[in-house]
Amino acid sequence: MYRFFRIVAILIISFSSALLLSAKDFVVVIDAGHGGHDFGAIGAKTNEKTINLGVALKLGSLIKKNMDDVKVVYTRDGDYFKELQERAEIANKARGDLFISIHTNSVDKKNKRRKTIKGAATYTLGLHRSAENLAVAKRENSVMMLEDDFSATYCGFDPNSTESYIIFELSQNQHMEQSIDFASKVQSEMVATAGRQDNGVRQAGFWVLAKTGMPAVLIELEFICNPTSEAFLASESGKNKFAKAIFNAFKSYKQSYDRKSGVIKDKGKNKKEKKSSSREEREDDIDEVIVSAGMNDDDVDVASADEIRYKVQFMSHPTKFKPGAKEFQGLKDVESYRDGSMWKYTVGSFASLDEAKTEMRKVRKKFSDAFIITTRNGERVK
């Protein structure tokens, strides 16, 4: 009888182990914007489609080389055209866990700042509000007009009509929190690793983000219309730095994703463990992640089990304003924090993302580019 139970126990353990080891890999979908006959933004010496693909392939290579529990899917891995709808379908069919769309920015030839404007920005799906964000969304969505019978494919959506963008105001993005979290990490790395000016995390109505059923961001690497920025974008060094910046952000995001999912690393493979019910047990799980990843205790904040707060950031400025300054007229309980050479200003502190969204809509009446940041223990999560 004892032998019988022992055999049963071994079979159960083996079966359970097989299930754990067959856990679905994390799927990241990398979307190189434009391609083929769609050149995207044009610079003096190069074009957007070439830059986007170069960075996308380098990013994918870094992930494949360093993260064997991640599956990389490209919407295009060569110089050919893909419709916006096709890109979203590729991501959805692959059951993606994160969608990263890579683009290069520009402004109209009539813009006086055309040769001096610079910086990187990362977009999540949301209300464009500001004319600048809307202009970017219109430019990136206009690629659909190169497609045959695009009006039928996109259900009458006109990328040049402001009224068409009401569909994004009606869209509910259930992945907004994760998208903003990753976008914030990207922006931090764009400054620290790629050496770009931080133009912030923004929200706008991008079709390709709206139609992907997963956390999704669209990165505008730099402005190709600025000769200095174009030279950096076109160089191998520049592409490597952009790819490394996005990779660093992804690695951080993935580590956080694993902790929240109860996944620990074991000899390069993923294993899922039952989430602990007590704080002490959750901290033990985090310690296992630290050890298995070869990190020190100081590298991971054990307070990741603590409550996360959301704030509305509405301004970045090199000056630290005094409380009650005229710049804050109409806002209450303004707080600030230092980020590099800039002071960044926020209002509110919410446990619920929905509450933060409500406050953001109010703040945007005065500051159209206001957006939500995530904080833990009073510090911005990056």
Side-chain angles (χ1 to χ4, degrees):
M1 183 63 71
Y2 171 78
R3 184 180 180 185
F4 171 77
F5 282 116
R6 186 183 177 196
I7 293 173
V8 171
I10 292 173
L11 289 173
I12 291 174
I13 292 171
S14 299
F15 179 71
S16 299
S17 299
L19 286 177
L20 290 170
L21 290 173
S22 64
K24 171 182 175 289
D25 282 344
F26 186 103
V27 178
V28 58
V29 181
I30 302 175
D31 173 48
H34 306 280
H37 61 277
D38 173 23
F39 286 79
I42 305 295
K45 298 181 179 180
T46 187
N47 54 69
E48 180 180 0
K49 70 169 185 176
T50 303
I51 294 167
N52 297 345
L53 182 61
V55 175
L57 294 178
K58 289 178 182 294
L59 170 60
S61 179
L62 282 172
I63 295 173
K64 291 177 181 180
K65 182 179 179 180
N66 295 282
M67 305 177 75
D68 58 7
D69 59 329
V70 177
K71 178 182 178 181
V72 174
V73 174
Y74 297 106
T75 59
R76 71 176 181 99
D77 56 7
D79 185 18
Y80 48 85
F81 181 74
K82 280 287 182 181
E83 299 178 355
L84 290 183
Q85 189 66 19
E86 281 186 280
R87 295 169 190 265
E89 288 173 356
I90 290 171
N92 292 332
K93 287 180 181 178
R95 297 176 62 198
D97 295 292
L98 180 67
F99 182 84
I100 305 173
S101 189
I102 298 173
H103 288 258
T104 304
N105 217 338
S106 187
V107 293
D108 189 88
K109 292 182 179 180
K110 297 179 181 179
N111 193 310
K112 295 180 180 179
R113 299 176 58 206
R114 180 174 171 80
K115 293 188 176 182
T116 59
I117 192 169
K118 61 182 179 179
T122 305
Y123 288 82
T124 64
L125 179 66
L127 311 184
H128 48 264
R129 295 304 182 192
S130 76
E132 182 181 357
N133 289 3
L134 177 59
V136 174
K138 282 184 175 181
R139 179 169 59 81
E140 299 297 359
N141 287 333
S142 65
V143 62
M144 64 177 63
M145 298 181 71
L146 298 177
E147 303 171 21
D148 295 332
D149 197 18
F150 81 91
S151 183
T153 302
Y154 297 96
C155 305
F157 178 84
D158 180 357
N160 293 317
S161 170
T162 304
E163 288 74 17
S164 286
Y165 286 82
I166 192 172
I167 70 168
F168 297 108
E169 299 200 22
L170 300 176
S171 297
Q172 295 296 316
N173 186 358
Q174 59 179 320
H175 305 292
M176 181 66 73
E177 179 180 342
Q178 298 98 314
S179 299
I180 292 174
D181 179 32
F182 178 61
S184 298
K185 295 179 188 299
V186 170
Q187 280 304 113
S188 178
E189 288 293 336
M190 282 294 175
V191 175
T193 301
R196 302 299 91 193
Q197 175 179 294
D198 183 6
N199 288 349
V201 174
R202 304 184 176 197
Q203 294 180 318
F206 295 100
W207 183 277
V208 73
L209 299 187
K211 298 303 178 180
T212 49
M214 64 207 69
V217 303
L218 186 147
I219 304 168
E220 294 284 1
L221 300 171
E222 253 292 0
F223 286 87
I224 197 173
C225 52
N226 178 328
T228 302
S229 298
E230 181 186 9
F232 184 81
L233 285 161
S235 68
E236 286 301 303
S237 173
K239 292 188 184 75
N240 284 333
K241 287 182 180 179
F242 280 124
K244 181 64 173 177
I246 303 171
F247 170 75
N248 288 347
F250 174 69
K251 184 177 180 181
S252 175
Y253 177 87
K254 177 63 165 53
Q255 288 172 345
S256 176
Y257 174 93
D258 286 347
R259 289 197 297 271
K260 293 176 182 177
S261 302
V263 176
I264 62 172
K265 299 280 279 185
D266 180 25
K267 296 181 181 180
K269 297 295 182 181
N270 278 352
K271 280 191 176 183
K272 286 195 174 182
E273 291 200 340
K274 184 178 180 180
K275 288 191 176 181
S276 305
S277 57
S278 68
R279 175 181 172 83
E280 289 76 20
E281 290 172 328
R282 288 196 300 269
E283 292 178 357
D284 287 342
D285 286 345
I286 293 170
D287 288 339
E288 289 182 354
V289 175
I290 295 170
V291 173
S292 61
M295 302 165 66
N296 297 319
D297 289 346
D298 293 338
D299 292 329
V300 176
D301 184 3
V302 176
S304 60
D306 291 346
E307 184 179 24
I308 289 177
R309 308 290 296 186
Y310 303 98
K311 299 183 178 183
V312 179
Q313 182 168 308
F314 63 90
M315 178 191 296
S316 295
H317 203 280
T319 302
K320 184 177 183 181
F321 296 111
K322 295 181 180 180
K326 63 180 182 179
E327 285 78 7
F328 309 145
Q329 186 175 0
L331 300 178
K332 296 181 180 179
D333 302 322
V334 174
E335 297 179 352
S336 64
Y337 67 95
R338 187 71 177 266
D339 187 2
S341 61
M342 303 291 283
W343 286 95
K344 300 190 175 182
Y345 298 89
T346 66
V347 292
S349 180
F350 307 96
S352 163
L353 185 57
D354 287 336
E355 290 179 312
K357 289 179 183 178
T358 299
E359 180 66 17
M360 179 180 67
R361 294 187 186 100
K362 296 178 182 177
V363 175
R364 280 184 170 176
K365 293 179 180 179
K366 182 174 176 63
F367 299 92
S368 60
D369 275 342
F371 60 92
I372 297 170
I373 64 172
T374 305
T375 66
R376 182 182 292 125
N377 293 340
E379 298 291 330
R380 181 174 178 180
V381 177
K382 292 193 175 183

